[in-house]
DNA sequence: CGCTTTTGACCAGCGC
DNA sequence: GCGCTGGTCAAAAGCG
């Protein structure tokens, strides 16, 4: 049961890239990984999700050690829900309600001896409501009332009042929290909606341009027989006349499902489809995988025979990668994810071995990364990410994940490797690079690499990114362009928001809060700074080096202690 | 005991 | 076809 309870998987991927609204409900899995800490959001889910346990949630509430029965919550909501303030029931009523709970304890102490009062309580409507609501505690309530009747002294009365007030305050606080959370979820939904619209427009633009391209291409190749449908269906992925269209990269190689011909799908559905299909498959596979987890985790790429066709296509496709160069003495930059090393190789032309890591935060997370020190400067660590996480990410991991995914998207949506082997930037996204205000120094697209790779060079001072190291045969990616600037905040904001909502309840440790804050700052920096990479450097810089801010937890860059010293290896 | 790392073997793609 | 290279697998060892 440990790793891949299916739920998380759906959400996961969505959260990372598509930010599908459904993400909002996708905590449970995380629960798994980040047990102990639970949040407000979890509580709600618990009601619906049979798997979730109630205890942790209830126990962690700030509510005093008194009574923590959900039943009571409902009860109060019934009574005073509409107007918290105005609810103030008449003293008697209030008293009675509270007393019911108090009596519960009193009863315990006294050994409960009256059932007659219970019948009394059931009489009136509101009172009856209380009693009914606390059906489970019926005897207790009865006892309480009797207790009250028996002990009429002022002392108990006062203490009861105090307790009643305290109880009410607790309930009100609870209600407030719920409202806040609802508001947050609403905001998240709005955010998702707006982002969806943005992406849709983005896709439409791409589609139009692709149509244009296809038309041109067709006129060249098929001047004789014009079959207009030939290439149109390819817009969603796959090759069209040797061209790699952007869609196939949108999911970094995971959009195989979208490769099937489904022309009727709207862009949004199209985006969703691969996720859902993958998620469904994950769910199906999980059972089998639980028995043989090794298989599941190791053969992600070849898992499903059903995917054969897609894989064949995918095999021919090139995967987008995001490479991050950063100075770090640590064997690996801590990006907040859990990684498992699965291989190490000596790469040609570099005395330092290249280590291969796989994300282990979810059973079948396809994300992998390679870590290698720079041959010329051993202090520079090159980390190459590939794939998208299919699970929710802890706040500490969101910065890097959203950064790399966004960079990859930028790369894929803005560039079109064509048959000539060069990368052509989409005019919409990279217009007139030479005219851009910023020299775009720190991000490059490698046209010669086997995979389309965007390299983010963070080895320079983010504040002074004007010097570029070595752009040999590499295509400069002018990130700071108007359209990119328009999209990035969406992407980042979305990732942040959706994940924030997801994790709002999971990590509320001080560190986590700080991380979230720094993350928010990062987002602000990214959205405000015209130079994306400079801001990116600032963001990632916070993750690199001494910090390892999240290492206290398990999810903090689980860097292998010293294995990667690159001293040995084959 | 379960998870991670190590490391030699294996496989696929590519160029010659 | 062969060799090179990058990438992955999986048994064994290590570790907490």
């Amino acid at each position: 049961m440990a790793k891949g309870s299916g739920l998380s998987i759906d959400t996961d991927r969505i959260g990372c890239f598509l930010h599908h609204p459904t993400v909002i409900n996708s905590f449970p899995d995380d629960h798994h990984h980040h047990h102990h800490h639970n949040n407000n959001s979890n509580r709600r889910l618990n009601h619906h999700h049979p798997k979730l346990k109630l205890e942790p949630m209830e126990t962690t509430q700030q509510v005093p050690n008194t009574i923590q029965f959900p039943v009571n919550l409902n009860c109060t909501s019934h009574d005073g829900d509409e107007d918290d303030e105005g609810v103030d029931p008449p003293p008697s009523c209030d008293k009675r309600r509270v007393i019911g709970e108090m009596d519960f304890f009193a009863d315990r102490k006294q050994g409960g001896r009256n059932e007659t009062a219970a019948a009394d309580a059931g009489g009136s409507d509101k009172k009856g409501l209380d009693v009914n609501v606390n059906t489970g505690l019926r005897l207790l309530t009865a006892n309480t009332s009797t207790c009250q009747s028996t002990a009429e002294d002022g002392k108990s009365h006062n203490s009861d009042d105090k307790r009643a007030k305290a109880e009410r305050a607790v309930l009100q606080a609870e209600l407030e929290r719920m409202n806040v959370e609802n508001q947050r979820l609403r905001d998240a939904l709005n955010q998702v909606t707006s982002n969806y619209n943005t992406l849709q427009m983005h896709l439409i633009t791409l589609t139009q341009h692709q149509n244009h391209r296809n038309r041109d291409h067709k006129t060249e190749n098929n001047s004789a027989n014009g079959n207009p449908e030939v290439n149109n269906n390819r817009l969603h992925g796959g090759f069209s006349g040797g061209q790699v269209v952007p869609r196939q990269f949108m999911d970094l190689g995971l959009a195989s499902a979208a490769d099937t011909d489904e022309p009727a799908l709207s862009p949004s559905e199209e985006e969703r489809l691969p996720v859902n299909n993958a998620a469904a498959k994950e769910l199906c596979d999980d059972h089998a995988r639980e028995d043989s987890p090794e298989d599941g985790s190791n053969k992600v790429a070849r898992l499903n025979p059903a995917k054969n066709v897609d894989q064949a296509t995918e095999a021919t496709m090139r995967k987008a990668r995001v490479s991050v160069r950063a100075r770090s003495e640590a064997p690996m930059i801590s990006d907040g994810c859990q990684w498992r090393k699965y291989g190490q190789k000596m790469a040609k032309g570099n005395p330092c071995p290249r280590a291969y890591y796989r994300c282990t935060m979810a059973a079948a997370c396809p994300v992998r990364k390679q870590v290698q020190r720079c041959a010329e400067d051993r202090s520079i660590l090159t980390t190459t990410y590939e794939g998208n996480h299919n699970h929710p990410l802890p706040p500490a991991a969101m910065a890097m994940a959203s950064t790399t995914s966004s960079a990859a998207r930028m790369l894929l949506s803005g560039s079109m490797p064509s048959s000539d082997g060069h990368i052509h930037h989409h005019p919409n996204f990279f217009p007139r690079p030479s005219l851009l205000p910023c020299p775009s120094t720190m991000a490059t697209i490698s046209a010669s690499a086997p995979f389309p790779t965007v390299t983010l060079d963070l080895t320079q001072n983010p504040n002074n990114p004007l010097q570029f190291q070595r752009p040999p045969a590499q295509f400069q990616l002018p990130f700071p362009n108007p359209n990119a600037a328009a999209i990035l905040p969406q992407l980042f904001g979305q990732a942040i928001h959706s994940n924030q909502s997801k994790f709002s309840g999971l990590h509320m440790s001080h560190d986590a809060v700080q991380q979230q804050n720094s993350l928010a700052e990062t987002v602000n920096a990214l959205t405000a700074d015209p130079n994306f990479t400079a801001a990116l450097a600032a963001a990632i810089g916070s993750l690199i080096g001494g910090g390892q801010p999240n290492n206290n937890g398990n999810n903090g860059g689980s860097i292998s202690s010293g294995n990667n010293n690159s001293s040995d290896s084959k």
Side-chain angles (χ1 to χ4, degrees), chain A residues 308-319:
Chain A
N308 280 347
V309 176
D310 294 333
Q311 286 169 2
T313 305
E314 191 175 326
T316 60
M317 299 189 318
R318 300 189 297 177
K319 297 176 183 175

Side-chain angles (χ1 to χ4, degrees), chain A residues 5 35-36 66 104 156 178 261 310 322 334 339-340 371 376 381 390 396 402 446 461 480 489 506:
Chain A
S5 77
H35 32 285
H36 26 294
T66 60
F104 173 60
S156 68
M178 298 296 282
D261 295 339
D310 294 333
V322 177
S334 82
W339 301 97
R340 178 185 174 187
V371 178
E376 299 90 30
L381 207 59
N390 64 354
S402 57
S446 169
N461 183 356
L506 298 179

